[in-house]
Amino acid sequence: MSYQVISNCIGWLLKEKETEEAFNFYYLEPPSKMLAKIFQTYNKTNSRKFPLQFLMLTSSSSFKRLNSLLLGALGDRGQRKSNLSVMAEGNVDDTNTTNDDDDDDDQPFTPWAVSVASGHTLLRSPQHNKGLAFTDKERDSHFLRGLLPPAVLTQELQAKRSLNILRQYQVPLHRYIAMMDLQETNEKLFYKLLIDNVEELLPVVYTPVVGEACQKYGSIFRRPQGLYISLKDKGKILEVLKNWPEKNIQVIVVTDGERILGLGDLGCQGMGIPVGKLSLYTALGGVRPSVCLPVTIDVGTKNETLLNDEFYTGLKQKRATGEEYDELLDEFMSAVKKNYGEKVLIQFEDFANHNAFDLLIKYRTSHLVFNDDIQGTACVVLGGLLSALKLIGGTLSDHTFLFLGAGEAGTGIAELISLEILKKTKLTVEDSRKKIWLVDSKGLVVSSRKDSLQQFKQPWAHDHEPVTGLLEAVKAIKPTILIGTSGVGKQFTKEVIEAMSSINAKPLIMALSNPTSQSECTAEEAYTWSNGHAIFASGSPFDPVIYDGKEFVPGQANNAYIFPGFGLGLIMCGAIRVHDEFLLAAAEALASQVTEEDYAKGIIYPRFKNIRKISATIAAKVASRAYEYGLASHLPRPSDLVKFAESCMYSPKYRNYR
């Protein structure tokens, strides 16, 4: 009886209140009043009243069941430890015949007094732990006295201390591990540190260091940070999704690990990518961490090194393909929609070319999907191109583009450039595409090769004599803009850069492949070989270069400019589908954030220190376009979308506990 009563109260609370507010009943109230608060709240708005005496009539096993119920809805990632201890203080009450274990009225029950021992667990909740920032009052209220050293530090001092510790590590991977440890112990401090020092720490938590982290993920694995779905889970994916403690998921970043950055098939170890991307969703875009879900779909790997590695954490079998692969992905997409609804954003990350295009085409009309490698990269590159026009002159349609790399990134960028040209001119689709040329592993993509080309390359096969190498293609096509998406380092040789410089007064060189080791050329090489005339941007960060007594600051075409703000915009307007116009809006918004001071230094991307302002601007533009196209479900439309975006952003500031 008593179990059912309290269960009803808790169930009502979780149904009527936001999860975070419900959790506040649990942690922010003095522990001894937690259940009383639940009863009082329930009784205020329900006709059927329950006396608070039920608190003393709950048996040990029933209370454990209730605790499991409460934490099942409110629990945090990976946190399933009991937060309540039940202390026996009396003998059997022979006057009561209710036993909550089996609801048999003929069985006696034992009365228990309830004591909440929250301190130890509170310190192990990343979402609520404040470490030495707990005040003396909070330490008394939440049983923390003695569990911490006596000093009380501010969050600012904690962040300063953490940054000093990070800077002592000489190996970048060690910094990455330290940041992940901080994220798993004190979430708000992790995000404060990242937000306040984004230019310094972005390369640590994401590219280029995340590439090495994925390669060594089996060795540095601490505890799971996301959801792993494998072939073993076929037919049970919906159940697997329900095992994740957070129920209100708004963004999922998913990978199958087949093409991690430029490093190839890393299988299950690709989890570092979704985890890193979602950290940036929160730090840069202000999306609450509790609504983010990293997912790795493990269908095996073709990486023999991993298959023979005793520490490999994934399935040790050859990568599944064809029907078996398609059925698992289809079950996953259906389960996500069923469990989280129509408006959950699914971001595909680092899928191999053949799957990336197929998945985007297959699900873009039925789900809210976004492929960062195709669409995100295209947005950030188009944004850089639009801002670079102020330095190189002309309009997009005045320039000729040559890509090294005809995969998902290269063709995605090419398509978005074509759409922007189409939007701003009276050219046909075919004519706008003729300004863009691609070079793949077999040479220039031309019409005579059309029968042997993959479908996504065919729109870019133009009439021209076959050309085998990049240097020959540069000399033949005479491009004004050279873009590298090959995933292979050192392809922009001295001869290639010199050829570009002989054709253009200010050649635009974009070496976009990640990580740094796979970049087509370095910033120093681009500036030196062009005699300081090149405008350069890369996918991975490079330090400023001094050439001929002048400082050149390379731009970084980092997808982190786009996807956090893009995702925030979709969430805040309740978008149900992604339209190509949203991508153009995001690119244009990014270009608008570059200042005259940036241009004076040859920089075509804004400074990352202003990334939250940039993200809010992008979110507002994306949401505005969604409202214009009737694809937004959150009505009415806010009058000031930029301010609304800023108001939606997650704050890493500590909360005060009662």
Side-chain angles (χ1 to χ4, degrees):
M1 173 64 178
S2 55
Y3 169 77
Q4 292 175 339
V5 168
I6 302 178
S7 175
N8 288 341
C9 293
I10 294 175
W12 168 84
L13 172 70
L14 299 177
K15 181 179 179 182
E16 298 296 324
K17 302 289 184 181
E18 291 292 330
T19 300
E20 186 173 347
E21 185 178 351
F23 203 104
N24 292 344
F25 279 97
Y26 196 74
Y27 266 133
L28 304 189
E29 285 294 322
S32 60
K33 297 182 181 179
M34 183 268 293
L35 278 180
K37 187 77 173 183
I38 292 176
F39 269 74
Q40 291 166 359
T41 305
Y42 179 89
N43 285 342
K44 284 180 182 178
T45 52
N46 287 269
S47 57
R48 184 181 180 186
K49 310 296 183 183
F50 293 114
L52 295 185
Q53 284 84 344
F54 271 113
L55 288 177
M56 298 301 293
L57 300 177
T58 307
S59 70
S60 171
S61 57
S62 294
F63 204 88
K64 289 177 182 176
R65 290 163 64 195
L66 291 170
N67 184 53
S68 176
L69 169 67
L70 186 60
L71 293 184
L74 304 183
D76 38 84
R77 297 177 185 175
Q79 198 72 18
R80 280 293 178 268
K81 294 182 179 179
S82 173
N83 289 0
L84 304 176
S85 63
V86 184
M87 315 296 289
E89 291 187 348
N91 297 319
V92 174
D93 182 354
D94 293 327
T95 64
N96 193 299
T97 59
T98 301
N99 186 308
D100 287 338
D101 287 343
D102 54 14
D103 294 317
D104 184 349
D105 288 343
D106 294 331
Q107 296 295 323
F109 71 93
T110 303
W112 301 93
V114 178
S115 170
V116 181
S118 61
H120 187 266
T121 303
L122 187 56
L123 290 175
R124 282 153 181 77
S125 168
Q127 290 77 15
H128 302 90
N129 179 30
K130 299 197 292 185
L132 291 176
F134 281 110
T135 65
D136 287 329
K137 181 180 178 181
E138 289 170 336
R139 296 181 191 201
D140 286 332
S141 298
H142 296 281
F143 302 95
L144 293 166
R145 183 68 66 180
L147 300 182
L148 292 165
V152 176
L153 305 183
T154 64
Q155 191 178 21
E156 288 69 25
L157 193 57
Q158 284 182 306
K160 180 179 179 181
R161 175 179 176 272
S162 297
L163 189 61
N164 287 339
I165 293 172
L166 281 174
R167 287 172 175 168
Q168 292 175 23
Y169 291 111
Q170 300 301 312
V171 179
L173 183 61
H174 294 170
R175 293 187 180 187
Y176 174 89
I177 294 170
M179 285 294 287
M180 293 303 101
D181 285 343
L182 181 60
Q183 186 181 22
E184 293 173 7
T185 54
N186 188 331
E187 187 175 85
K188 287 186 180 293
L189 183 58
F190 167 83
Y191 284 114
K192 178 174 177 57
L193 193 63
L194 183 52
I195 292 168
D196 292 349
N197 305 277
V198 64
E199 291 182 302
E200 179 178 353
L201 297 180
L202 182 63
V204 175
V205 299
Y206 201 62
T207 182
V209 182
V210 72
E212 183 183 1
C214 288
Q215 287 178 308
K216 300 176 180 177
Y217 212 74
S219 299
I220 66 174
F221 180 83
R222 296 290 200 276
R223 57 178 173 174
Q225 291 180 291
L227 201 61
Y228 293 85
I229 296 173
S230 75
L231 289 169
K232 292 181 178 180
D233 304 312
K234 188 175 180 181
K236 301 180 289 186
I237 293 180
L238 182 59
E239 296 175 31
V240 174
L241 290 176
K242 290 181 178 180
N243 288 341
W244 188 252
E246 301 290 350
K247 306 306 175 187
N248 180 30
I249 297 300
Q250 295 177 326
V251 184
I252 294 173
V253 175
V254 57
T255 185
D256 70 351
E258 188 170 3
R259 194 198 62 83
I260 298 299
L261 301 174
L263 303 172
D265 189 346
L266 297 183
C268 183
Q269 295 187 172
M271 178 58 90
I273 298 297
V275 170
K277 288 278 184 178
L278 288 170
S279 296
L280 300 187
Y281 259 106
T282 298
L284 311 186
V287 178
R288 288 182 295 121
S290 61
V291 303
C292 299
L293 173 58
V295 175
T296 290
I297 295 181
D298 188 355
V299 294
T301 179
K302 53 191 176 186
N303 187 322
E304 291 294 335
T305 302
L306 294 179
L307 291 174
N308 295 320
D309 183 356
E310 63 178 326
F311 298 122
Y312 179 55
T313 55
L315 290 178
K316 289 192 175 182
Q317 66 177 61
K318 292 290 185 180
R319 177 172 288 275
T321 58
E323 186 176 345
E324 185 179 17
Y325 178 91
D326 293 340
E327 288 177 353
L328 189 72
L329 266 293
D330 196 54
E331 183 185 349
F332 168 73
M333 296 298 290
S334 299
V336 164
K337 193 171 183 178
K338 183 174 182 179
N339 201 46
Y340 301 122
E342 186 86 10
K343 292 179 284 189
V344 61
L345 172 61
I346 305 169
Q347 178 170 314
F348 297 120
E349 198 68 41
D350 287 352
F351 284 77
N353 288 343
H354 56 283
N355 289 323
F357 286 102
D358 290 347
L359 290 171
L360 187 59
I361 292 169
K362 181 177 181 179
Y363 294 110
R364 67 184 307 173
T365 58
S366 60
H367 293 69
L368 184 67
V369 294
F370 174 73
N371 186 301
D372 190 47
D373 303 301
I374 299 172
Q375 297 165 299
T377 301
C379 274
V380 75
V381 174
L382 178 58
L385 293 173
L386 292 174
S387 66
L389 294 177
K390 291 194 175 183
L391 298 175
I392 62 178
T395 65
L396 276 185
S397 59
D398 296 327
H399 291 275
T400 302
F401 304 84
L402 180 62
F403 284 79
L404 176 63
E408 56 188 289
T411 54
I413 298 166
E415 185 64 36
L416 202 63
I417 293 172
S418 174
L419 287 174
E420 182 70 9
I421 292 174
L422 197 64
K423 178 181 176 182
K424 297 293 177 64
T425 67
K426 295 181 180 180
L427 294 175
T428 64
V429 174
E430 185 177 345
D431 287 339
S432 68
R433 286 176 174 170
K434 284 182 179 178
K435 295 182 176 295
I436 303 167
W437 296 81
L438 276 59
V439 174
D440 64 9
S441 60
K442 296 180 180 179
L444 193 66
V445 176
V446 293
S447 54
S448 60
R449 296 176 50 198
K450 208 162 189 176
D451 291 342
S452 62
L453 290 173
Q454 293 166 287
Q455 187 175 1
F456 59 83
K457 294 182 185 181
Q458 292 181 6
W460 313 103
H462 309 313
D463 292 335
H464 197 282
E465 291 296 319
V467 177
T468 55
L470 176 61
L471 179 59
E472 291 74 16
V474 170
K475 292 177 179 178
I477 302 301
K478 293 180 171 51
T480 53
I481 297 170
L482 180 63
I483 301 174
T485 61
S486 63
V488 182
K490 306 299 181 183
Q491 296 299 299
F492 291 173
T493 62
K494 182 179 180 181
E495 292 75 18
V496 169
I497 301 297
E498 287 177 343
M500 285 292 296
S501 301
S502 68
I503 299 168
N504 308 283
K506 290 184 177 180
L508 177 54
I509 311 294
M510 305 185 81
L512 303 179
S513 295
N514 288 314
T516 309
S517 61
Q518 306 303 114
S519 183
E520 284 78 9
C521 70
T522 67
E524 184 176 8
E525 290 168 345
Y527 293 127
T528 302
W529 294 338
S530 67
N531 296 319
H533 297 304
I535 297 166
F536 178 79
S538 58
S540 290
F542 286 101
D543 293 329
V545 175
I546 304 296
Y547 176 79
D548 198 20
K550 181 180 178 181
E551 183 182 54
F552 293 86
V553 182
Q556 186 186 359
N558 194 320
N559 290 20
Y561 278 117
I562 292 292
F563 70 81
F566 191 86
L568 176 63
L570 296 175
I571 292 170
M572 74 185 205
C573 72
I576 55 176
R577 298 291 180 269
V578 172
H579 193 283
D580 286 339
E581 278 291 331
F582 299 179
L583 307 176
L584 297 179
E588 292 163 4
L590 175 60
S592 72
Q593 298 300 297
V594 184
T595 66
E596 292 300 326
E597 181 183 353
D598 295 327
Y599 287 129
K601 294 183 178 181
I603 304 173
I604 60 175
Y605 288 100
R607 300 298 180 92
F608 255 108
K609 64 182 180 181
N610 301 319
I611 187 59
R612 280 208 158 192
K613 177 185 174 185
I614 296 167
S615 293
T617 302
I618 291 172
K621 291 292 185 181
V622 170
S624 176
R625 206 63 59 92
Y627 281 111
E628 290 172 17
Y629 279 76
L631 293 172
S633 62
H634 292 168
L635 300 172
R637 169 179 172 158
S639 57
D640 189 327
L641 285 168
V642 174
K643 287 185 177 179
F644 182 69
E646 291 172 343
S647 71
C648 292
M649 287 184 167
Y650 165 84
S651 170
K653 183 180 178 181
Y654 287 146
R655 297 185 63 181
N656 294 321
Y657 294 173
R658 295 189 185 94

